[in-house]
Amino acid sequence: MAHTFVLKKIPLWPVIKMAFVVFIIIGIVIGVFYAMMLSMWGALMGSFTDAGFGEQFGMLRGLGFVLIPIIAIMYAVFGTIVVAIWTVVYNLIAAVVGGIELVLEESDSRLSAAQEPRGTLDGAHVPPDKTITGF
């Protein structure tokens, strides 16, 4: 059976928390990529010390890995700000125009783990105050 719901407002704080965590992970991945690229470029340019201009680029080998937390924090802060602004804009527009209409349908699947009665294990009844060991 399908039910229709309208998303009229998105709570700001949960969106900000989730966006911060997602963007910090993305920032770490991108920071590691930049660190590796700068380290390789610094090592390559440092190998040209005979030409007289490679010494200036040797510091890039260490600088890349210093940038990982800086890039991660910058991505998290600016990404979270953008997501927060878009959430506020959505809430303002949804208050005037209406929200996004969602059609949700009940599934006929087996009960999920969160819905199973407490104290059961593979169909056998286990008292809730007992601890099962040996796994």
Side-chain angles (χ1 to χ4, degrees), residues 20-38 40 64-65 67-76:
F20 187 82
V21 170
V22 168
F23 279 112
I24 201 108
I25 292 169
I26 291 171
I28 290 171
V29 170
I30 291 174
V32 168
F33 174 75
Y34 278 121
M36 291 184 339
M37 294 303 289
L38 283 174
M40 286 188 287
F65 291 99
L67 289 177
I68 293 174
I70 295 170
I71 291 173
I73 291 170
M74 297 298 284
Y75 261 79

Side-chain angles (χ1 to χ4, degrees), residues 14-83:
V15 171
I16 287 174
K17 289 188 300 187
M18 181 61 84
F20 187 82
V21 170
V22 168
F23 279 112
I24 201 108
I25 292 169
I26 291 171
I28 290 171
V29 170
I30 291 174
V32 168
F33 174 75
Y34 278 121
M36 291 184 339
M37 294 303 289
L38 283 174
S39 294
M40 286 188 287
W41 193 50
L44 176 68
M45 296 308 282
S47 66
F48 293 121
T49 54
D50 294 338
F53 64 89
E55 289 121 12
Q56 293 87 6
F57 294 103
M59 69 171 193
L60 289 178
R61 284 183 273 179
L63 179 65
F65 291 99
V66 172
L67 289 177
I68 293 174
I70 295 170
I71 291 173
I73 291 170
M74 297 298 284
Y75 261 79
V77 168
F78 289 119
T80 302
I81 289 171
V82 169
V83 169

